[in-house]
Amino acid sequence: MKAHTYTPIDIPFNFRHTCWFCGEPSSKSLDFPRKPSRYLQHALLSIPACSECHVVNYPNGLNSIWALRAHIKQAIISRYTKHLAIGENWTEQELIDSQFSGAILGGFGKSAWHMYNIAKQRVAFEGWLISVDDIPLDIIDDTSGFEFNGTRYSSLSSCIDFYVDATDVDKELLTQIIDIVSPNRFEYALKIARLNKRISNHQREQIIEEIHTQETEKQEAEREQMASSNADLSIVDVAISGTVAPAFAIQWAIEHGAHSLKELCQLEDDYFDEFEHLGGTTAFLSYNGLQLYLNAREEPNWVEAHDPNKEAWG
Ligand SMILES: [Zn+2]
């Protein structure tokens, strides 16, 4: 009878006796997959694992070691939600300051941060590059997942589930806010959900409505800004008598209503406050160029014939 052959992965010296999945001490070898599968993208592998990762049940049909890792990480997150929640609900200093006492709470104060750190590190541990006989496994990690705050979740919805369990936020509210603001702004959505934990359906609708309005307004403002900054791009440098009035200076003059030399003089201090970061000489030269430019603009014929920015002045 021919048993399947599992090839042990290479183990770097400094990772001897380390679980490849979570970084805890390893005592076992995990043979993956349990049965050869035609979906598998690489050889049958034998991977060092701690006893806890070793027993995680996984579905048949996982096609790579990366898929297995994502599955095991998610199992760790689910199992240690309470520990991971400590870091979501407390800071280390708050725990020290809380002066929990008594048999149960006293122990909580002392060990809570430690437990949180262990769970967090296990989830974050990235293993080492997989190779067999010094040949790297040339299968790329194509497991899609969702990463937030340094933790990789197997999906956006498992990240939401974690925060619902860990911080008791309203799942419906969090999900709907993310739908509106996109998963890129998970932190913002979470913040709002945390401020509104126990809410009625009516309150939830109101919050969603407000966020919706706010986002729509924001997008409109961004569109307008884009449109106006595109217009600004059409402003160009103008050279007068060998001195240049730079586009940024002209734009500033337009924005601040300095239409004439006289109006500019009244805003001189503002101008130098705004551009002092350029250094004294550059700021002065640009101001000087702007003066010459505005002086030239007092002559309508010059504007008509020579000012490339006449449209921008409206
Ligand atoms: Zn492990």
Side-chain angles (χ1 to χ4, degrees), residues 42-307:
H42 49 69
L44 306 183
L45 296 174
S46 179
I47 304 130
C50 67
S51 48
E52 213 176 323
C53 292
H54 188 257
V55 296
V56 169
N57 204 2
Y58 60 87
N60 291 324
L62 292 185
N63 64 359
S64 73
I65 185 74
W66 314 118
L68 175 63
R69 175 165 72 181
H71 188 84
I72 289 182
K73 293 285 188 194
Q74 196 57 48
I76 296 176
I77 292 172
S78 305
R79 186 175 307 162
Y80 290 99
T81 292
K82 278 212 181 84
H83 292 177
L84 291 164
I86 291 163
E88 297 303 329
N89 297 317
W90 301 82
T91 64
E92 184 170 21
Q93 195 56 44
E94 281 170 343
L95 282 173
I96 293 168
D97 295 346
S98 66
Q99 295 180 318
F100 284 125
S101 53
I104 296 168
L105 284 182
F108 175 74
K110 277 194 202 73
S111 63
W113 196 255
H114 183 61
M115 294 189 306
Y116 162 68
N117 268 333
I118 290 179
K120 182 94 181 165
Q121 278 163 23
R122 291 184 66 189
V123 173
F125 184 75
E126 289 195 350
W128 55 89
L129 199 71
I130 291 197
S131 64
V132 171
D133 293 331
D134 289 329
I135 299 169
L137 195 69
D138 60 348
I139 305 292
I140 50 162
D141 179 2
D142 63 350
T143 50
S144 57
F146 179 74
E147 195 169 323
F148 176 66
N149 207 7
T151 299
R152 194 179 155 94
Y153 300 85
S154 62
S155 65
L156 172 61
S157 63
S158 49
C159 180
I160 293 175
D161 288 342
F162 169 74
Y163 279 94
V164 170
D165 288 346
T167 65
D168 215 16
V169 292
D170 186 274
K171 183 172 181 174
E172 192 58 32
L173 180 67
L174 181 58
T175 309
Q176 288 198 39
I177 298 174
I178 292 168
D179 280 344
I180 298 173
V181 303
S182 92
N184 291 337
R185 289 167 66 204
F186 193 91
E187 184 162 15
Y188 170 77
L190 184 61
K191 198 177 273 174
I192 294 177
R194 285 182 142 164
L195 290 171
N196 300 282
K197 281 188 181 173
R198 280 172 243 304
I199 46 173
S200 64
N201 287 344
H202 178 65
Q203 285 168 317
R204 187 188 304 116
E205 277 165 29
Q206 269 185 323
I207 296 168
I208 295 294
E209 180 68 34
E210 274 172 34
I211 291 176
H212 196 76
T213 312
Q214 186 183 308
E215 288 302 308
T216 315
E217 282 170 2
K218 208 175 117 199
Q219 281 166 8
E220 268 164 25
E222 276 168 8
R223 258 199 298 279
E224 273 168 28
Q225 180 145 26
M226 281 276 257
S228 74
S229 68
N230 281 341
D232 294 344
L233 286 177
S234 64
I235 296 177
V236 296
D237 296 1
V238 181
I240 317 254
S241 320
T243 303
V244 173
F248 70 80
I250 297 171
Q251 188 179 329
W252 185 90
I254 293 173
E255 280 168 8
H256 290 76
H259 293 257
S260 66
L261 199 51
K262 196 168 152 234
E263 285 170 332
L264 177 64
C265 286
Q266 285 162 359
L267 293 166
E268 187 176 347
D269 288 347
D270 294 356
Y271 184 92
F272 283 100
D273 285 347
E274 176 102 17
F275 294 113
E276 69 180 355
H277 65 276
L278 298 175
T281 318
T282 311
F284 177 77
L285 283 176
S286 66
Y287 185 75
N288 187 230
L290 186 58
Q291 281 181 309
L292 292 170
Y293 172 63
L294 290 180
N295 188 43
R297 275 185 55 82
E298 318 254 38
E299 180 55 58
N301 291 338
W302 181 88
V303 172
E304 200 47 51
H306 301 293
D307 188 357

